[in-house]
Amino acid sequence: MTEEIRTTAGRPIGARGLKTRSQLLRCLKELLAEHGYHATRVIDVARRARTSPATFYQYFADVDAAVLDLARPVAQEGSDGLIYAEIGSGWGGGRHEAGSTVDAFFAFWREHEVVLRVVDLRAAEEDIRFTELRRRMLSGLLGHLEYAITARPSSPVGATDESFAAAEALTVLLAAAAGRQDPETADAQVRQMLVEVIARAVSGGTVAVQLPTA
């Protein structure tokens, strides 16, 4: 059952109001892409939507509340883990599935980059609402990696704590890599290293990092 959308005053929103609300969210996303979170103000969103700040405040308490509304379906998509479903559970030789995992996560990030960058920023600023949303968004990837590590033939029986810790470390690594570069022009060497790290972690091998010589 879908939760009914209401105004900040608690009143149900009709069809016309839902259209206005959607327009405000669309304009907010455009401004976030153009100017970033800290330069985006309520008055800017209202002007872009050709309405007033008072109308904005009918639907959202502030910019954060509106961003959270944009981010919730993204977090749900990430937590569902469906973007990793076709990668398979066997992992075969490891590198193919690891590469598919990296590519799936980067594609997810690329699709929702505008919103995810704000989620990352606000989580880093220790806003608990965004911290929780980010945790939910990454939970699908975490579960996917934890299953792969736990299901490997060399995994000790009952080593769930170790598997979770390894999966969590890999999840943090992937999220950091996505947030620190443009996924459209991501360095092929960075991708290959991520693939290697994940493949070795899942197979139970060690990771040898070759540093460039001076």
Side-chain angles (χ1 to χ4, degrees):
M1 183 176 180
T2 305
E3 184 178 352
E4 186 177 34
I5 300 174
R6 295 177 176 269
T7 65
T8 51
R11 296 188 298 271
I13 301 176
R16 184 176 178 181
L18 289 173
K19 185 176 179 180
T20 300
R21 187 176 183 276
S22 295
Q23 173 76 350
L24 287 165
L25 289 173
R26 183 183 65 77
C27 292
L28 169 62
K29 190 173 181 180
E30 289 176 358
L31 288 166
L32 290 172
E34 293 169 15
H35 306 297
Y37 169 78
H38 286 300
T40 298
R41 303 170 300 166
V42 168
I43 191 170
D44 300 320
V45 179
R47 283 174 178 168
R48 177 69 64 93
R50 298 185 178 181
T51 186
S52 66
T55 299
F56 180 96
Y57 286 119
Q58 287 181 19
Y59 302 105
F60 309 104
D62 50 27
V63 169
D64 273 352
V67 173
L68 285 166
D69 205 80
L70 285 172
R72 286 188 187 99
V74 178
Q76 185 61 49
E77 182 181 343
S79 67
D80 286 344
L82 296 179
I83 57 176
Y84 315 107
E86 294 183 4
I87 296 173
S89 58
W91 280 74
R95 283 176 179 77
H96 174 74
E97 291 81 359
S100 296
T101 298
V102 172
D103 292 341
F105 181 77
F106 270 71
F108 169 74
W109 179 277
R110 183 166 55 249
E111 181 180 357
H112 303 293
E113 182 180 3
V114 171
V115 174
L116 292 178
R117 287 199 179 279
V118 179
V119 171
D120 268 4
L121 173 66
R122 298 296 287 128
E125 293 173 344
E126 299 184 348
D127 187 309
I128 189 65
R129 298 169 300 174
F130 288 91
T131 302
E132 174 59 22
L133 208 62
R134 188 176 186 277
R135 184 197 65 76
R136 280 183 53 208
M137 183 270 290
L138 293 173
S139 63
L141 175 62
L142 175 62
H144 168 67
L145 292 169
E146 183 183 11
Y147 177 83
I149 294 170
T150 304
R152 72 190 182 201
S154 61
S155 182
V157 177
T160 55
D161 289 344
E162 288 185 14
S163 297
F164 180 83
E168 190 169 37
L170 294 173
T171 299
V172 170
L173 182 63
L174 266 176
R180 283 171 170 74
Q181 60 181 316
D182 179 359
E184 292 282 7
T185 58
D187 191 316
Q189 289 185 325
V190 172
R191 178 194 177 277
Q192 190 55 41
M193 180 56 71
L194 290 169
V195 171
E196 184 71 12
V197 169
I198 292 172
R200 299 268 183 134
V202 170
S203 67
T206 58
V207 179
V209 180
Q210 191 74 34
L211 297 176
T213 57

